[in-house]
Every structure is written in C-alpha cells, then in structure tokens.
Amino acid sequence: MVLRANSGSQAQPEALREFFQRYQGAVLRYFQTALKDHDIATDLTQDFALRFVRGDFWNVAPDRGRFRDFLRVALANLLRDYRRRQKHAAIRAGVLAGVHDPVEDDHDPAGPEFDESWRNELLARTWIALEQHQSETSEPYFTALKLKADHSRTSSTALAESFNAVRAEATPISEPAFRKTLQRARDRFGELLLREVAETLAVPTRAELERELIELRLLTYCGSLLPKV
C-alpha cells in the first residue's frame, strides 16, 4: 500500500486515503499514550501525515522488514524531535538551563507503547467490521459478542435475556441458542481480526501471521483460524 501510495513523483490520493484510514488510529493512540495530551498528539499525527505525503517513506521496501517496525521507529523519532524542540525552547527561555537532557534516555522505539497502540487499533477496527457485518447480514454477532465483552461475568441465562431484550422485535431465542450465536460471533470476530492483521503484512504467510499474533497478544482470538499450511 505504501509503495503504491508513493509510486512516481506524487502520492496517489486514493492510496493515501487508504493508508491513513488504516494507520492514523494507531499513530494517534501512540502519541496520546506517550504524551497524555490529545491536542499535541493530534498535531504530531498531522505532522506524520505531512511527512508521508512529502515522501519520507519512499524508502520502505518489503524486503527491509515489517512495516510495523519501520513505522514504530519513525513515530518514536517524531516524538524525540518534538521533545527536543520543547526542551530547546525551554532552555532559550531560561527554564531548563543546566538540566540533564533526557531526550535520548526515554521512549526506546523498540518499547511496547506502539505495539499496544497497534494492537488496540486492530481490535477497534475488528469491532467496527463486525458491526458492519451485522448491518449487512442481520446476523446479530456484534450484539451478542458486545454483550459478553461488556458483561463478562454475567451468566449465559442473564445474557440471553439481555440479548432478547435488545432485539425486542426479533423472535426470542433460548439460552443454548444464544450460546451457539455467541460462539459463531467469536469465530466471525476471529476471522475479521485475522484479515486485519493479514492486511498489515507484505506477505501474510502462516508463519508471519502467527508471529504477529503472538507478538501482539492476539493469538487467543484467532489462532485456531490460521491456515493449516
């Protein structure tokens, strides 16, 4: 996707939209986690977008490693640049004269912050995809699984009652039928999540998919759905 977006001397608008739709959530989450400031995180996300548009990622190539790793380092460097600018501004204002420079000591680009942001974004996108699937097919998988996620300690009997109450216009189902619907919902969620992960890999082989799922702590959601070969 990045190679297509940066083909030639000018990025293609359609590819750019596709790129930012997929990655801007993870980028914003990363900066918000690191800085605890939504406005600054938004500014840095826009800075990332500007750098992409002007071609800073033209040297990305599948044979140089995973794009997730490349992006994580790029964002950590953006964060370092921001902190360095802030400190230099403070020094010029006479606020931090003589203070040890912490910029090089924190936020290792290999740290867990970006991976956690990436993981959360993949899960969020999967929930959206599951809700869209329900809208398109009328299969109530999103409703069933969201009830279970929001009330994980509630009994199946109570969840089935809540499920029927939410779907007041539909024919009520029994507790065993609700459990079966819930299992199908989990399977569909796993399939959608696996698709989301696959689309972030240049070559989504079984080995690469399994490695991504393990590193991002997502294997329990869809490990059984991995290709057999």
Side-chain angles (χ1 to χ4, degrees):
M1 188 186 301
V2 179
L3 294 174
R4 176 159 51 88
N6 285 319
S7 61
S9 59
Q10 185 176 4
Q12 303 300 311
E14 181 182 353
L16 285 174
R17 285 194 296 270
E18 188 178 357
F19 176 88
F20 289 121
Q21 182 181 9
R22 176 161 299 281
Y23 292 112
Q24 67 178 349
V27 172
L28 181 60
R29 287 172 187 270
Y30 171 76
F31 286 135
Q32 285 186 154
T33 299
L35 297 168
K36 306 298 188 294
D37 188 306
H38 177 76
D39 291 338
I40 297 175
T42 300
D43 288 343
L44 287 178
T45 300
Q46 292 173 349
D47 188 21
F48 162 77
L50 175 63
R51 296 189 184 202
F52 178 79
V53 169
R54 76 187 185 193
D56 286 14
F57 296 124
W58 286 6
N59 61 341
V60 173
D63 59 357
R64 296 183 181 180
R66 293 176 302 181
F67 180 69
R68 173 164 63 90
D69 295 332
F70 179 91
L71 185 59
R72 177 173 52 191
V73 173
L75 296 181
N77 289 338
L78 278 175
L79 185 60
R80 284 199 180 99
D81 289 345
Y82 166 77
R83 287 176 164 164
R84 187 175 290 110
R85 290 195 303 270
Q86 291 300 105
K87 183 180 180 183
H88 289 169
I91 291 175
R92 287 195 298 272
V95 177
L96 294 177
V99 177
H100 171 64
D101 188 347
V103 171
E104 301 301 332
D105 297 338
D106 62 352
H107 249 80
D108 182 348
E113 293 89 351
F114 180 71
D115 284 351
E116 187 66 19
S117 299
W118 188 277
R119 178 182 189 273
N120 291 337
E121 184 64 18
L122 286 170
L123 289 171
R125 289 178 61 84
T126 303
W127 278 110
I128 292 172
L130 185 64
E131 187 172 21
Q132 182 177 356
H133 172 81
Q134 176 170 304
S135 176
E136 293 173 350
T137 66
S138 298
E139 294 175 332
Y141 297 158
F142 176 85
T143 300
L145 197 58
K146 194 68 166 61
L147 274 174
K148 180 62 177 177
D150 292 343
H151 308 282
S152 59
R153 297 186 179 182
T154 303
S155 68
S156 295
T157 301
L159 286 175
E161 292 175 355
S162 297
F163 179 78
N164 287 325
V166 170
R167 304 177 68 248
E169 298 180 0
T171 303
I173 64 173
S174 65
E175 179 188 350
F178 172 74
R179 289 201 302 268
K180 181 174 291 187
T181 298
L182 188 59
Q183 183 56 54
R184 290 172 178 167
R186 289 193 180 100
D187 291 343
R188 185 57 181 158
F189 186 91
E191 292 168 358
L192 293 170
L193 178 58
L194 193 61
R195 186 179 69 186
E196 288 290 335
V197 174
E199 290 180 355
T200 68
L201 300 175
V203 184
T205 63
R206 187 191 192 285
E208 285 298 311
L209 282 168
E210 186 173 19
R211 185 173 75 152
E212 281 290 286
L213 292 172
I214 291 172
E215 290 188 8
L216 296 172
R217 296 180 291 109
L218 295 172
L219 189 64
T220 55
Y221 291 95
C222 49
S224 63
L225 301 172
L226 285 169
K228 300 303 180 184
V229 293

